[in-house]
């Protein structure tokens, strides 16, 4: 039988284990001695492949993994990942048995959820390991402890910690603007931290003990090293993004690639793609690439981005289609069909592409669709 391996190489994502391990080392070096390390691998490890990433983190000596939901946790367990896994999002108490059976740690979003998990764990005849979520200003999951809700929040938290069937291992909160510059954002983040530590103190005065207190997402790791507590919880930084000032020397772990499919020369005045949103002003060597919005290249980037090939850059032209898009190769006369093109990675800044799509790098990493095969590969840093 013929193996059509080349047909899969219309577009692909190269994942570099070396760069991930480099980033883990760089992040650990930035943390205080004894601080535990949790790697956030939700959303298929931000598009990099959850199982592969989890195994690399396990090998690198990470202490914990975090995912968003039960299915993501079960995927790791099914692949033989045995290290502690925390579900950051909400899980219905109906699945308490599965959580206990697979030794998965669950975040508790509030008093009702604590009651429901406690009842379900007792009915199942087991103990559920939990981390209590504290809402200090994100207004998402967690025991609400801001402003006038402090005292009630703390007593609900302390009560939840005493419920049968729950093994309370940790407590955590999540920052809203730890990654954004400016005085007001710093004030807000420091206030979230102050509330978090005050909640812990007040709960401990009521006899509760938390072995693992954690709040440090990527933004906090970069900008508030003094918030490490017992564990850091980075996601984006692991994958090489978010350190816009280059403080930590991180390396991108994903390189999104495609191929130049065909090339033709357009006479001036010819329009390109759906909506005719680009007109060739000069004689234009136009290349067609095998990547489109169904692969995760946002249509909003149309006419606003450029990709790397053959040591140069090719501006993208016309509306990005579902499976293809066009580039101007006039200034790259060497470029020929079959050439590899980098959409983002070491040579093309994902942050710029995200800005063109009016979004953040997180969204573009997660948007790389399942049709794009992930290929484990060492790619050289441009800077090396
Ligand atoms: C996603 C997430 C993280 C990781 O965030 P980054 O900004 O990628 O570091 C940490 N904690 C919680 C609760 C999250 O949901």
């Amino acid at each position: 039988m013929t193996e059509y391996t080349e047909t899969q190489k219309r577009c692909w994502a190269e994942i570099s284990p070396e760069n991930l391990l480099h980033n883990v080392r760089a992040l650990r070096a930035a943390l205080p001695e004894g601080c535990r390390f949790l790697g956030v691998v939700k959303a298929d490890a931000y598009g990099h492949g959850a199982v592969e990433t989890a195994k690399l983190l396990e090998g690198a000596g990470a202490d914990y993994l975090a995912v968003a939901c039960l299915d993501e946790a079960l995927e790791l367990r099914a692949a033989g990942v045995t290290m502690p896994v925390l579900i950051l999002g909400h899980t219905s108490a109906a699945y308490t048995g599965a959580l206990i059976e697979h030794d998965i740690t669950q975040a508790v979003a509030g008093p009702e959820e604590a009651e429901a998990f406690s009842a379900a764990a007792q009915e199942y005849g087991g103990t559920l390991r939990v981390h209590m979520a504290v809402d200090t200003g994100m207004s998402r999951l967690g025991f609400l402890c801001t402003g006038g809700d402090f005292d009630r929040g703390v007593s609900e938290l302390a009560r939840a910690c005493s419920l049968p069937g729950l093994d309370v291992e940790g407590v955590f909160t999540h920052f809203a603007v730890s990654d954004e510059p400016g005085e007001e954002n710093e004030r807000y983040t420091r206030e979230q931290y102050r509330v978090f530590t005050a909640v812990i103190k007040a709960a401990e005065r009521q006899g509760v003990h938390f072995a693992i207190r954690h709040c440090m997402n990527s933004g906090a790791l970069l900008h508030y090293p003094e918030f490490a507590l017992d564990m850091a919880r980075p996601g984006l930084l692991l994958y090489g993004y978010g350190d816009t000032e280059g403080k930590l020397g991180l390396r991108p772990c994903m390189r999104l690639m495609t191929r130049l499919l065909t090339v033709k020369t357009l006479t001036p005045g010819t329009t390109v793609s759906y909506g005719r949103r680009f007109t060739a002003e000069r004689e234009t060597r136009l290349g067609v690439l095998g990547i489109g919005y169904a692969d995760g290249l946002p249509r909003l980037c149309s006419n606003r981005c450029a990709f790397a090939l053959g040591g140069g850059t090719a501006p993208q032209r016309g509306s990005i289609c579902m499976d293809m898009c066009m580039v101007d190769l006039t200034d790259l006369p060497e470029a020929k069909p079959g050439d590899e093109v980098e959409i983002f990675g070491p040579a093309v800044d994902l942050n710029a592409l995200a800005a063109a799509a009016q979004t953040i790098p997180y969204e573009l990493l997660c948007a790389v669709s399942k049709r794009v095969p992930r290929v484990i590969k060492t790619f050289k840093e441009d800077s090396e």
Side-chain angles (χ1 to χ4, degrees), residues 74-340:
L74 292 178
E75 183 194 8
L76 297 178
R77 287 289 182 254
V81 175
T82 56
M83 60 189 291
V85 174
L86 168 64
I87 298 180
L88 294 166
H90 178 63
T91 303
S92 162
Y95 297 104
T96 303
L99 291 167
I100 296 173
E101 187 190 334
H102 294 280
D103 197 25
I104 295 164
T105 310
Q106 175 60 49
V108 177
E112 289 85 14
E113 290 79 1
E115 295 280 356
F117 283 129
S118 167
Q122 290 175 83
E123 194 176 320
Y124 180 80
T127 304
L128 177 65
R129 196 181 319 106
V130 295
H131 286 207
M132 296 298 182
V134 178
D135 183 352
T136 58
M138 176 71 179
S139 303
R140 200 169 67 177
L141 302 182
F143 290 75
L144 186 58
C145 292
T146 45
D149 291 305
F150 184 88
D151 290 335
R152 202 202 42 215
V154 168
S155 57
E156 285 175 349
L157 175 65
R159 202 190 109 63
C161 290
S162 70
L163 290 173
L166 302 184
D167 166 19
V168 183
E169 177 187 61
V171 65
F172 72 104
T173 195
H174 194 45
F175 295 117
V177 287
S178 61
D179 58 344
E180 294 188 38
E183 253 171 60
E184 172 55 18
N185 291 326
E186 178 173 349
R187 188 202 60 76
Y188 196 85
T189 304
R190 291 197 182 281
E191 175 61 12
Q192 279 199 266
Y193 184 76
R194 189 196 63 76
V195 171
F196 183 50
T197 48
V199 166
I200 293 169
K201 247 199 203 129
E204 289 186 337
R205 254 183 261 121
Q206 302 190 29
V208 180
H209 175 69
F210 302 104
I212 310 180
R213 305 158 299 161
H214 53 109
C215 63
M216 195 180 241
N217 59 355
S218 289
L221 200 158
L222 269 178
H223 305 298
Y224 305 91
E226 66 275 28
F227 292 178
L229 296 172
D230 303 308
M231 184 162 76
R233 210 173 66 220
L236 190 66
L237 292 176
L238 269 181
Y239 307 105
Y241 293 100
D243 181 14
T244 41
E245 292 155 33
K247 277 194 222 172
L248 298 174
L250 303 178
R251 300 177 183 169
C253 296
M254 184 193 293
R255 187 179 183 215
L256 183 61
M257 301 294 291
T258 186
R259 230 177 254 292
L260 188 50
L261 304 177
T262 70
V263 180
K264 68 183 104 193
T265 302
L266 307 181
T267 52
T270 308
T271 59
V272 176
S273 194
Y274 291 121
R276 306 179 62 200
R277 288 165 61 206
F278 180 80
T279 304
E281 300 288 342
R282 56 176 180 177
E283 185 168 284
T284 299
R285 235 164 72 81
L286 190 84
V288 180
L289 303 183
I291 189 168
Y293 58 77
D295 302 296
L297 179 62
R299 193 169 171 277
L300 206 52
C301 294
S302 299
N303 278 321
R304 296 168 159 197
C305 56
F307 309 128
L309 76 159
T313 344
Q316 192 278 321
R317 301 300 194 208
S319 297
I320 292 168
C321 309
M322 188 183 287
D323 319 300
M324 288 175 268
C325 67
M326 279 63 94
V327 288
D328 188 337
L329 301 172
T330 314
D331 300 327
L332 294 171
E334 314 271 88
K336 57 180 188 313
D339 283 1
E340 296 190 352

